[in-house]
Amino acid sequence: MYENKIFDTLKINKNNYHANVYKEKYISTRKEYVKAIDNLSKKNASLEWWVSSPAFKFIQNDNIYHAITLIEAIKKFRLDNKVPEIIYVKNNLIKNIIEENKNYLKINRKKIISQTKYFYKLKIFINSTKTLFNFLIIKFLSKFLLKKNINRKLYLIDSYFILNRSDNDRYYGKYLKKLINKNNNFQVIPTFISKNIFDFREIRNFFKIARDDNYIIKENFISFYQLLKIFYLLHTCYKKLNKKVFTFNNIDYSEILKYEIKNNKNFELSFIGFMNYSFFKNIKYKKFSVIKSINWFENQPSSKGWFYGLSKYFPRSTSIGYQGFTYFPEMLSIFPTNQEFLSRVVPKQITLIGKAYKNLINEFTNNIDFKIGEATRFEYLLNLNPKNFNDRKIDYVLILSGIKDIDLDIINLTNKFIKNNLKIYIKAHPVFNPAPYLKNKSNFILTDENFSYLLENSKCFICSGSTSALMEAIALGINLVIPKVTYFEDIFISKIKLYNNQKALNSDDFKIFIKSRVFLKKPFDFKKIINSEFFNLSQSGNIDKVFRI
């Protein structure tokens, strides 16, 4: 028996006909959607397009992909004669598309109800203004505080500064820092990312780091006029699109696509992409040359601007993308496509940290040269002590990914089933603080312990979503539970082999598991990592060998 109404949702805690059809369409539509975006990109190959949300393909918070998935699911409901009488949708954008196509979908008598008329216009404007003002402040201060003599032959490493600290260690590890100090040719270009407007404490810390001779501040090479122009272009570029610009399986999604571009939820990354392009354009005119460059490559708008600028102004430079992370099948954006390669917004070479990823990242193109470099940020795995695993003090550790919706799903799912006397430690991701959501959840304890300590002292990890901690736990062979809170855990475990003491569980099985405490009593064999298929931990002592550049 099927329900007479459904709520469209990205959550998969339900196990019924409609939820299962939506899940199947969410996964199976993936390749067809990438092909459609690639075809659209052929006609809109400007930088404004490449740094936009649709070109980013970050489907976790994408109204376009969700609308397509829902409508493809409705087609299946109709074929099976199981279309519910009422369909509740997220917003009016999706409602309007379904209403306009009721006749084609043959659901004329069904009722479509929008759960909200509010989208996110005000929030987007506030965030975009914050981005502009912060970069204007950095530009202004850099004119007075950072005057350096810079070698005109540049060897560049792309990095980030976020949450009051340099994230070089987080992105590349301390090992690379030693190599940069040893090889003065290479210089870091930090990208400033802030959660707040006029956060002078963060800006002050940024400049403390930036004074180092191994740093180049891109804002020094970008004019105030260019920063203002970037802001204007990102808020007006949607006007260049034709009225009917994007169709998918005979349904017109043009309005929702334009809305996503106009109200860009990834505005800061798009702004940084334009800044990266402008940086390379300006240093070209100042007679600099880029000999080599390394980009932290997640195929975000920031990276697209980086390679768009490099390919146009320094086509002969040796430039690679470094994927210093593991396998995240839910992050469609990290997989480069043929059209991205042809448009030169992705690198010709991507350096991976383990051979296991080579046949996973090439899902949508075979044009890119994939090489295996060194896993610099995971060097600490070499120092784990097997003896420490014998005296484990902590029962459960819940590892968060930093993606708010996924993290809250795992917290809420765990909270439903834990007993009063059971304590679960939570290791938060730097970009998301769960503390406000734990006020009435006394069983959870936020911990600041470093990750290596938690690996050595925990009886069982609970981990899911986009975090490399998941692959670290698998490689080490520790007790692990992967709650199925997204649509991609099944894909993940079909590609990555788990040990017997590692399980991916739906909500019902997860409930049984938590209550039984089975892994708290079960010892495991620690797998010493040297050069596993997941992490190449060689230490060549040479930057060129680290990145295979």
Side-chain angles (χ1 to χ4, degrees):
M1 190 71 182
Y2 62 92
E3 300 175 71
N4 64 0
K5 63 181 179 180
I6 62 168
F7 294 82
D8 78 339
T9 178
L10 293 182
K11 302 181 188 300
I12 64 164
N13 294 333
K14 293 184 178 180
N15 183 22
N16 57 40
Y17 166 79
H18 295 107
N20 290 335
V21 169
Y22 183 95
K23 174 183 176 181
E24 187 277 322
K25 294 298 179 183
Y26 193 89
I27 294 172
S28 65
T29 304
R30 175 186 173 99
K31 288 189 177 181
E32 198 176 352
Y33 179 71
V34 168
K35 185 177 179 181
I37 293 294
D38 260 12
N39 288 335
L40 182 58
S41 299
K42 290 180 185 178
K43 306 169 189 175
N44 301 278
S46 66
L47 181 58
E48 292 99 315
W49 164 257
W50 281 119
V51 300
S52 71
S53 284
F56 182 14
K57 303 186 299 296
F58 190 68
I59 59 175
Q60 287 96 322
N61 68 350
D62 189 335
N63 275 311
I64 306 168
Y65 192 74
H66 176 48
I68 288 172
T69 302
L70 180 61
I71 288 176
E72 293 303 303
I74 290 173
K75 291 178 183 178
K76 174 63 174 172
F77 299 161
R78 181 179 56 79
L79 288 174
D80 293 345
N81 197 28
K82 292 184 178 181
V83 180
E85 294 300 318
I86 303 173
I87 301 175
Y88 291 88
V89 298
K90 288 171 63 178
N91 54 51
N92 279 353
L93 285 172
I94 299 172
K95 177 186 175 182
N96 292 342
I97 293 174
I98 298 175
E99 291 283 5
E100 290 167 5
N101 291 277
K102 270 188 169 182
N103 189 49
Y104 171 74
L105 296 171
K106 299 180 181 178
I107 57 168
N108 290 301
R109 296 183 180 180
K110 309 302 179 181
K111 193 171 184 179
I112 314 298
I113 299 176
S114 173
Q115 296 180 68
T116 176
K117 295 181 180 179
Y118 169 74
F119 302 136
Y120 32 76
K121 289 183 179 180
L122 180 60
K123 185 178 180 180
I124 295 298
F125 180 77
I126 291 171
N127 285 338
S128 65
T129 304
K130 175 213 76 174
T131 296
L132 173 64
F133 275 109
N134 280 334
F135 284 121
L136 286 172
I137 291 169
I138 290 174
K139 168 62 184 172
F140 177 78
L141 293 176
S142 67
K143 287 174 66 70
F144 302 102
L145 300 179
L146 295 174
K147 293 182 179 180
K148 300 180 182 179
N149 293 322
I150 299 172
N151 193 320
R152 292 192 172 269
K153 293 183 178 181
L154 298 175
Y155 296 74
L156 304 175
I157 299 178
D158 166 51
S159 188
Y160 292 87
F161 181 95
I162 185 171
L163 300 179
N164 291 316
R165 57 176 171 51
S166 168
D167 257 12
N168 284 344
D169 290 353
R170 174 172 177 77
Y171 284 86
Y172 295 104
K174 294 179 180 178
Y175 170 58
L176 181 64
K177 198 173 190 179
K178 297 174 187 174
L179 294 184
I180 293 174
N181 291 332
K182 183 179 173 182
N183 183 344
N184 289 326
N185 283 336
F186 278 92
Q187 292 177 297
V188 175
I189 298 191
T191 294
F192 179 82
I193 295 178
S194 174
K195 294 295 179 185
N196 305 304
I197 191 168
F198 298 133
D199 194 328
F200 288 105
R201 186 178 63 167
E202 286 191 28
I203 292 172
R204 181 194 63 193
N205 290 337
F206 175 75
F207 278 100
K208 279 184 181 179
I209 297 292
R211 287 196 184 99
D212 192 309
D213 287 340
N214 289 328
Y215 282 74
I216 295 176
I217 306 306
K218 72 184 79 171
E219 288 83 356
N220 256 335
F221 297 87
I222 302 171
S223 69
F224 288 107
Y225 169 76
Q226 285 176 315
L227 292 174
L228 293 170
K229 186 178 180 181
I230 291 170
F231 185 82
Y232 172 78
L233 285 172
L234 289 175
H235 278 292
T236 58
C237 60
Y238 71 96
K239 295 179 180 179
K240 297 181 181 180
L241 296 171
N242 296 327
K243 187 174 182 181
K244 189 173 182 177
V245 69
F246 183 57
T247 59
F248 186 93
N249 287 351
N250 301 315
I251 303 288
D252 184 6
Y253 295 93
S254 300
E255 288 307 309
I256 196 168
L257 180 134
K258 290 177 185 176
Y259 190 91
E260 290 289 284
I261 294 176
K262 182 180 179 182
N263 298 279
N264 187 350
K265 286 172 283 195
N266 306 293
F267 185 90
E268 187 167 35
L269 290 173
S270 299
F271 197 98
I272 293 166
F274 255 109
M275 284 177 59
N276 286 339
Y277 169 82
S278 301
F279 168 75
F280 289 118
K281 176 182 177 180
N282 293 348
I283 64 172
K284 176 70 174 179
Y285 292 135
K286 290 180 181 291
K287 307 300 182 183
F288 284 82
S289 59
V290 178
I291 309 303
K292 296 179 180 179
S293 80
I294 298 157
N295 176 265
W296 179 267
F297 185 69
E298 296 182 22
N299 203 14
Q300 295 178 341
S302 50
S303 292
K304 287 186 167 73
W306 178 282
F307 288 107
Y308 194 95
L310 268 176
S311 63
K312 184 172 183 178
Y313 296 107
F314 300 98
R316 295 183 180 179
S317 70
T318 303
S319 302
I320 64 112
Y322 178 66
Q323 291 197 337
F325 46 87
T326 59
Y327 175 53
F328 308 137
E330 68 275 22
M331 292 182 67
L332 190 60
S333 54
I334 68 172
F335 302 88
T337 70
N338 278 326
Q339 190 56 43
E340 289 170 344
F341 177 83
L342 294 173
S343 298
R344 299 185 298 177
V345 294
V346 296
K348 294 178 182 178
Q349 176 192 322
I350 294 176
T351 300
L352 307 169
I353 62 171
K355 61 184 180 181
Y357 311 115
K358 192 171 183 179
N359 292 324
L360 300 174
I361 302 300
N362 67 350
E363 183 176 353
F364 303 121
T365 182
N366 291 313
N367 289 320
I368 292 173
D369 184 15
F370 293 95
K371 293 185 177 180
I372 309 304
E374 297 175 20
T376 59
R377 67 185 275 208
F378 299 98
E379 60 171 357
Y380 77 91
L381 293 172
L382 290 169
N383 301 319
L384 293 178
N385 188 349
K387 294 180 181 178
N388 292 346
F389 285 77
N390 296 327
D391 184 25
R392 291 170 285 153
K393 308 175 184 70
I394 303 170
D395 287 342
Y396 290 111
V397 175
L398 180 55
I399 305 295
L400 302 185
S401 66
I403 299 176
K404 180 180 176 181
D405 290 344
I406 294 176
D407 289 345
L408 292 180
D409 280 348
I410 297 175
I411 289 171
N412 292 332
L413 183 64
T414 307
N415 187 58
K416 282 171 62 177
F417 305 132
I418 57 178
K419 297 178 180 179
N420 292 332
N421 62 342
L422 182 63
K423 299 297 181 184
I424 295 184
Y425 283 70
I426 292 182
K427 180 65 173 175
H429 190 282
V431 301
F432 171 59
N433 179 14
Y437 303 92
L438 300 175
K439 290 180 179 177
N440 298 317
K441 298 178 174 68
S442 59
N443 295 81
F444 292 106
I445 302 170
L446 271 176
T447 178
D448 292 326
E449 294 287 356
N450 62 48
F451 191 62
S452 58
Y453 174 87
L454 295 174
L455 282 171
E456 291 178 338
N457 290 279
S458 304
K459 296 177 182 176
C460 182
F461 266 34
I462 301 172
C463 187
S464 194
S466 305
T467 171
S468 292
L470 180 57
M471 197 66 78
E472 292 169 78
I474 291 172
L476 289 167
I478 70 172
N479 292 337
L480 171 69
V481 178
I482 307 171
K484 294 184 179 182
V485 292
T486 76
Y487 294 106
F488 291 101
E489 279 79 22
D490 286 331
I491 293 181
F492 183 92
I493 61 176
S494 72
K495 305 287 186 182
I496 306 296
K497 185 179 178 180
L498 304 181
Y499 291 106
N500 291 334
N501 60 321
Q502 299 170 337
K503 306 291 183 184
L505 304 175
N506 60 33
S507 58
D508 291 337
D509 292 335
F510 185 72
K511 175 182 178 180
I512 296 170
F513 167 82
I514 289 289
K515 289 188 173 182
S516 71
R517 300 178 130 193
V518 59
F519 275 2
L520 301 186
K521 308 165 188 174
K522 188 172 184 177
F524 60 83
D525 296 324
F526 169 72
K527 311 294 188 297
K528 181 69 175 176
I529 295 179
I530 300 176
N531 285 319
S532 76
E533 59 179 336
F534 304 121
F535 303 102
N536 174 21
L537 297 177
S538 301
Q539 293 190 328
S540 62
N542 182 287
I543 289 182
D544 287 354
K545 290 181 179 178
V546 167
F547 297 108
R548 299 291 303 276
I549 190 170

